[in-house]
Amino acid sequence: MKETITTKWLSDLAFEGEVDGHKIYMDSSMEHGGKNTGPRPKPLMMIALAGCTGMDVASILKKMKMDFEEFSIEVEGDVTEDHPKRFEGMKVIYRFIGKDINRKSVEKAVNLSVTRYCGVSANYEKAFPITHEIIIEE
Amino acid sequence: MKETITTKWLSDLAFEGEVDGHKIYMDSSMEHGGKNTGPRPKPLMMIALAGCTGMDVASILKKMKMDFEEFSIEVEGDVTEDHPKRFEGMKVIYRFIGKDINRKSVEKAVNLSVTRYCGVSANYEKAFPITHEIIIEE
């Protein structure tokens, strides 16, 4: 299958990307010559990972009829000091809030995402290690 | 260096990510149970690559005092048929419009980005091959 995206330069270091009709703006920080009019590209890699595994987990838990009130995903990335400044590791923290959330079910959903469904995770794992943590709060 | 992002579940397969105060919405397509309220995560990987190398190239060409009128970047990705559906290759097409654009300078800028500066590219190259094409139009 083919995926295609386009991105056009706006001015200085600002770019406008488009996917399926959705606009995504990117820019560099002030200290690196940009105007911070949009997210920087590297953290977008972490957003893509969070969205990919998050959709898997939300979908699998729905099929399991496991309800939750809130669900968030944090990604922490370690970036090298030397050029090219790239990720050398990421940690994905799945945080749930709700009553009667079964940890085993959540672990199963996360595991299915990481090992079978999440293509972003499968790609990144070739480049650096990814660790996972699950936090459940009432 | 550490990078951190947060992403929260909104409803169904819709998520809201945040980077440096910028919101990024993600959703799945209608056919996969989403409502297409935002881009899908996998193409965001291509957007991140386009933004990363685009900023490098725009910055290097500015230092070279090489003007252009328009600059866009297309990324084509090949996705596997089997799960996890992941990229098995990407092609980055740099397209410039302008008068007196020196191809050698553009090639040098792209090459510097790919080999020295673009961390997204350096990460992805561990997972799949990336090819590059430069198109210059008057």
Side-chain angles (χ1 to χ4, degrees):
Chain A
M1 208 184 74
K2 282 262 184 208
E3 291 274 6
T4 307
I5 61 95
T6 58
T7 305
K8 68 178 179 185
W9 172 76
L10 297 176
S11 65
D12 298 319
L13 300 180
F15 284 80
E16 177 192 284
E18 189 173 330
V19 180
D20 299 337
H22 302 288
K23 299 279 172 72
I24 298 137
Y25 294 91
M26 290 176 284
D27 200 350
S28 185
S29 62
M30 299 289 201
E31 65 179 298
H32 289 103
K35 293 192 173 68
N36 189 31
T37 58
R40 291 163 295 128
K42 213 166 359 233
L44 270 190
M45 281 182 63
M46 299 194 286
I47 291 280
L49 177 59
C52 177
T53 186
M55 287 182 198
D56 290 343
V57 171
S59 170
I60 295 165
L61 291 179
K62 191 178 178 184
K63 280 176 197 151
M64 289 177 173
K65 300 191 193 305
M66 173 64 57
D67 287 334
F68 47 83
E69 287 163 31
E70 292 180 27
F71 170 30
S72 65
I73 298 155
E74 287 159 45
V75 182
E76 297 172 358
D78 293 311
V79 179
T80 62
E81 294 291 331
D82 54 315
H83 285 290
K85 291 186 181 180
R86 61 207 182 276
F87 289 110
E88 56 187 354
M90 284 189 194
K91 179 177 184 180
V92 185
I93 302 160
Y94 304 80
R95 190 183 300 268
F96 290 87
I97 299 178
K99 292 201 184 299
D100 304 320
I101 297 177
N102 183 291
R103 173 170 279 274
K104 284 276 174 232
S105 300
V106 174
E107 282 173 357
K108 189 175 174 185
V110 168
N111 195 45
L112 277 170
S113 171
V114 170
T115 60
R116 196 178 306 175
Y117 294 116
C118 179
V120 176
S121 189
N123 274 147
Y124 291 1
E125 276 181 343
K126 296 278 184 193
F128 46 79
I130 305 176
T131 58
H132 304 87
E133 185 180 344
I134 296 168
I135 298 172
I136 297 173
E137 295 167 8
E138 282 239 349
Chain B
M1 208 184 73
K2 283 262 184 210
E3 290 274 7
T4 306
I5 61 94
T6 58
T7 305
K8 67 177 180 186
W9 173 76
L10 297 177
S11 64
D12 297 320
L13 300 179
F15 284 81
E16 178 192 284
E18 189 173 330
V19 180
D20 299 336
H22 303 288
K23 299 279 171 71
I24 298 137
Y25 294 92
M26 291 177 284
D27 201 350
S28 186
S29 63
M30 298 289 200
E31 65 180 297
H32 290 102
K35 294 192 173 67
N36 188 31
T37 58
R40 291 163 294 129
K42 213 165 3 232
L44 270 190
M45 281 181 62
M46 299 195 286
I47 291 280
L49 176 60
C52 176
T53 186
M55 288 182 198
D56 289 343
V57 171
S59 170
I60 295 166
L61 290 179
K62 191 177 178 185
K63 280 177 197 152
M64 289 176 173
K65 299 190 194 308
M66 174 65 55
D67 288 333
F68 48 84
E69 287 162 32
E70 291 180 29
F71 169 29
S72 64
I73 298 155
E74 287 160 45
V75 182
E76 298 172 358
D78 293 312
V79 178
T80 61
E81 295 290 333
D82 55 315
H83 286 288
K85 291 186 181 180
R86 61 208 181 275
F87 289 109
E88 55 188 354
M90 284 190 193
K91 179 176 181 180
V92 185
I93 303 160
Y94 302 81
R95 190 183 300 269
F96 290 87
I97 299 178
K99 292 200 183 299
D100 305 319
I101 296 176
N102 184 291
R103 173 170 278 274
K104 284 273 172 237
S105 299
V106 175
E107 284 173 356
K108 188 174 175 185
V110 167
N111 194 46
L112 277 170
S113 171
V114 171
T115 60
R116 195 177 308 174
Y117 295 116
C118 180
V120 176
S121 189
N123 274 147
Y124 290 2
E125 275 180 344
K126 296 279 183 190
F128 46 79
I130 304 176
T131 59
H132 305 86
E133 185 180 343
I134 295 167
I135 297 172
I136 297 173
E137 297 167 6
E138 280 240 351

